[in-house]
Amino acid sequence: MAPPVIYKTPAAKLQAERAKRRRYHEKHRDAILARRRQLRKDRNTRRDDEDHSDDNNQESIDTLPDCIAMVKLAKDDFMQHIKSPQTFVVGVLAKYTKSIPDTPGLHGDREIPTCAMSSIEDFLHRASRGQDGILRLCGISDEWRAADQVCRCMRDTIAMVEDIYCVTLGDRDSGLAEAHFLGVLLYQNYKG
């Protein structure tokens, strides 16, 4: 067995590695191409199955402008729906407090915060799809960071409503009143 070749420069080593890969590819070209064709065929079949099983008829996002447009539309719809995160959460809290009965021991309608969270999750899902497309197409970039800010605002809004919901579950309505009085609810400390 011959001793391994020791290269004097990194460029010579790189050139030797490229030559080795080229020789391997020339020798196994047919097998490599057959494998690629099979992978492409499997990927297309899987994509077709996903398209047929997709009940939402979600549009394809193959280009960066499509991804950016998806995030922008989700953001516009979100802002039209809530106006501002704190105002939206105050409105949810007001609806919940109006639903609290006068009889002690009963609690308000817990469906109010749940419905509020689910109404925002659709916007977040759409914006996240656009953000994932941006990440897939161009990695962490300025566009991805802008989309991340949009998604973060939506997640923060959901978290603020979820905070109210969790306080009502654990401490009942008296705990919610106490937390509001002490100023420890998330929306009271939100700096967005």
Side-chain angles (χ1 to χ4, degrees), residues 35-165:
R35 231 177 317 157
R36 285 183 183 171
R37 273 190 232 101
Q38 185 62 37
L39 285 172
R40 192 175 318 118
K41 182 180 174 185
D42 292 345
R43 192 176 326 128
N44 288 340
T45 304
R46 199 172 39 233
R47 219 181 263 156
D48 289 343
D49 291 344
E50 290 173 1
D51 289 344
H52 292 302
S53 66
D54 190 14
D55 295 332
N56 296 336
N57 292 332
Q58 297 172 342
E59 62 275 0
S60 171
I61 50 172
D62 295 330
T63 64
L64 185 60
D66 290 342
C67 297
I68 293 171
M70 179 175 277
V71 173
K72 184 182 179 328
L73 288 173
K75 176 191 167 222
D76 292 345
D77 293 345
F78 172 71
M79 293 310 288
Q80 185 177 7
H81 179 69
I82 70 160
K83 306 300 182 224
S84 88
Q86 285 179 312
T87 306
F88 178 75
V89 175
V90 167
V92 171
L93 183 63
K95 280 184 192 175
Y96 180 80
T97 54
K98 286 178 185 175
S99 72
I100 298 173
D102 294 332
T103 311
L106 298 176
H107 56 80
D109 185 10
R110 292 186 180 142
E111 286 295 313
I112 293 171
T114 306
C115 291
M117 287 185 288
S118 64
S119 71
I120 298 171
E121 286 172 352
D122 176 53
F123 304 123
L124 178 61
H125 177 69
R126 288 172 30 211
S128 294
R129 280 191 64 226
Q131 182 186 15
D132 292 345
I134 293 170
L135 182 64
R136 181 176 41 85
L137 292 170
C138 61
I140 307 279
S141 61
D142 292 337
E143 291 87 359
W144 182 86
R145 286 183 184 92
D148 186 52
Q149 286 180 339
V150 170
C151 292
R152 188 174 297 140
C153 179
M154 292 177 188
R155 285 191 301 266
D156 289 347
T157 306
I158 291 172
M160 289 186 281
V161 176
E162 194 173 51
D163 181 47
I164 292 171
Y165 180 69

